[in-house]
Amino acid sequence: MSYMSRTLPMLEMVDATGPALARPQPADRLVEFATDDVVLPRFHVWTLGCQMNHSDSEEMAGSLLAAGCAKAPAMESADLIVINSCAIREAAEQKVIGRQGVLARLKSGNPALRVVLTGCSVRADNATTLKRRYPQVDLFLRPDQEPELTARLGLAGATAPGPFAVPDVIGRVGMSPVASADRLPGTRASAVSGSAIARGDKTSAWLPIIYGCDKTCTYCIVPFSRGPERSRPFDDVLAEARALAEAGYQEVTLLGQNVNSYGHDLAPEARFGDIRGERQLGRSLPLDGRPDIAALLRAIDGMRTYDGVPAIPRLRFVTSHPWDLTDRLIAAIAECPSVCEHLHLPVQSGDDGVLRRMGRQYTVAAYLELVERLRAAVPGISLTTDVICGFSGETEAAFERTLDLLRRVRYDQVFAAAFSVRPGTPAARLPDDVPAGEKKGRLNALLDLQETIGQERNDAWVGRSTEVLVEEVRPTPSHGHDEPDPVDSAAPRLSGRNREHKLVHLSGHADLVGRRVMVRVERAGPYALSGSLDA
Ligand code: SAM
Ligand code: SF4
Ligand code: F3S
């Protein structure tokens, strides 16, 4: 058997608006797969951005492992670096642009090294500028092309079902060409049935249920990078959930940019005949007879062990858009024992004028009404949100109204960022008229207010007992005022989350990782709780 290092063939990316890629000829692929003669590349996947990207990376890593490649211990020792990028703000893109020098040095030390860039920075409308921005990248793949990774690298087995069987689909958002997620439900199903998903965790799993985004937020790049909403078939999602339950997963998070609009694009079926409705907010949408997220939550919750308890003890879902927060969904959260008492419901601003320019298509009053309904149906539910500071035309008074909203809702956590203009989005045509220093000042003021609210909300947990799913042994002690130390400092420092998604630190044995334990909360900071195992 002879071994030689091999330079990966990079099949050129076609013009995104051009014809579908030709399927490689069987003869070439067989030569490519003369595995006796080659050393398969060791790969490293660098993931930026949201949970959706992390889930996609699990799928790409799974496909590389299934092709026979091994994980490299670090980027420096890899022959193949896959960068799964985020474009939500300019700063996220700069993280990758800023690494081009490091990648150039790695390439000069290892001429066989190849770099793939995928994720939201690669879009159907920016193919011509990518090479200039990312000079060290050899292959660009849009998010909808990620299932082609191994084939484009010449690594897919000759008998593997080709990702090219379904042609490339390009749609439009306004004037811009966008990729469509049409193929992803099918490729996900193949990855699940082929056990080709390298899940990063043995306790908690991501489960994508809908791809893309149909919403109208003027500041956001996601509809341009991920295309329109495409739901996975109901039974495919259930099959994946069942497999996760059988594998002993304690927690499953259903994923999508707008997970609560799940199902509107699926065909009506008699078994969903009791589902009736029309969206109350945003673009009108008839929902009759189609599966929805409430039906999905109830079906997954309905998977029970012999003792009658939910086979997946904790069920979560992110992210929810106010348009699709129906009474059916609120009732499912309230009635399904496995569905956790936490909802991430991005508000973005507390000012109606700003919300209108953002294209969010709800008012502050409509949002507050949803919060009221939620809290009435699920007492104690924890609420988190996203806010953008300094959007176009945001006056000091408009910003004050956002602070008022925070005081009124009293969120458990707020993820806030300064507005970052994304070229190609509708808001890029609006004036970016809040100076950078002012955006930063408002962001800091908002975070300061939320720190006080977070502390007060967390103080209310002291003395209570709460169920924690232990996630990890914390590597280094932290003495930050926001992370209260566990009481017994001699025992390993563990951390996990309760059902309300609060970060909880505790001391205990490392073998508790992956288990649900009861913890008595003894201290609270604005961002975390700490306590001891409850006897
Ligand atoms: N789909 C979710 C929703 O309904 O809002 C969130 C998706 S987005 C990945 C996460 C957050 O990024 C948004 O909620 C928003 O607050 C923030 N974001 C998006 N575009 C932004 C921009 N151009 N500048 C600053 N923040 C932005
Ligand atoms: Fe972006 Fe709005 Fe879609 Fe969320 S709902 S991904 S913020 S366009
Ligand atoms: Fe970023 Fe794309 Fe997620 S822009 S936040 S990785 S959907």
Side-chain angles (χ1 to χ4, degrees), residues 202-266:
K202 292 195 166 25
T203 308
S204 297
W206 307 120
L207 199 175
I209 64 167
I210 181 168
Y211 300 99
C213 177
D214 276 354
K215 304 298 186 286
T216 52
C217 310
T218 55
Y219 50 80
C220 187
I221 198 71
V222 173
F224 298 87
S225 50
R226 303 245 170 199
E229 289 171 359
R230 290 289 175 268
S231 301
R232 292 181 63 197
F234 192 81
D235 294 328
D236 284 8
V237 176
L238 289 195
E240 185 167 345
R242 199 169 294 114
L244 291 169
E246 280 162 8
Y249 278 88
Q250 298 286 302
E251 181 175 79
V252 169
T253 304
L254 309 182
L255 283 188
Q257 281 310 328
N258 292 292
V259 88
N260 55 356
S261 58
Y262 172 81
H264 70 82
D265 55 321
L266 297 174

Side-chain angles (χ1 to χ4, degrees), residues 344-351 355 358 362 364-365 367-368 371 375 383-389 394 397-417 441-457 527:
H344 185 64
L345 191 64
V347 67
Q348 313 300 355
S349 169
D351 178 75
L355 286 175
M358 285 179 164
Y362 53 79
V364 173
Y367 182 95
L368 286 172
V371 168
R375 286 193 164 146
L383 289 179
T384 55
T385 201
D386 293 344
V387 172
I388 297 178
C389 293
E394 184 190 75
F399 173 66
E400 283 296 330
R401 283 191 274 278
T402 301
L403 296 184
D404 283 345
L405 177 83
L406 261 56
R407 288 187 196 101
R408 189 141 175 211
V409 177
R410 295 179 59 76
Y411 292 103
D412 289 272
Q413 204 173 354
V414 175
F415 300 88
R442 290 181 192 177
L443 180 60
N444 287 339
L446 184 138
L447 294 175
D448 282 351
L449 168 63
Q450 181 53 35
E451 191 164 290
T452 307
I453 295 171
Q455 179 71 59
E456 288 166 4
R457 288 194 68 81
Y527 307 108

Side-chain angles (χ1 to χ4, degrees), residues 5 11 67 78 149 179 243 255 278 290 300 368 508:
S5 121
L11 305 182
L149 177 68
L255 283 188
E278 181 77 34
R290 294 173 166 84
I300 299 174
L368 286 172

Side-chain angles (χ1 to χ4, degrees), residues 16-17 124-125 142 144 168-182 223-224 226-228 230:
T17 54
D125 65 353
R142 299 186 310 260
D144 64 301
D168 223 13
V169 186
I170 298 293
R172 287 202 173 267
V173 170
M175 300 296 283
S176 306
V178 296
S180 144
D182 282 20
F224 298 87
R226 303 245 170 199
R230 290 289 175 268

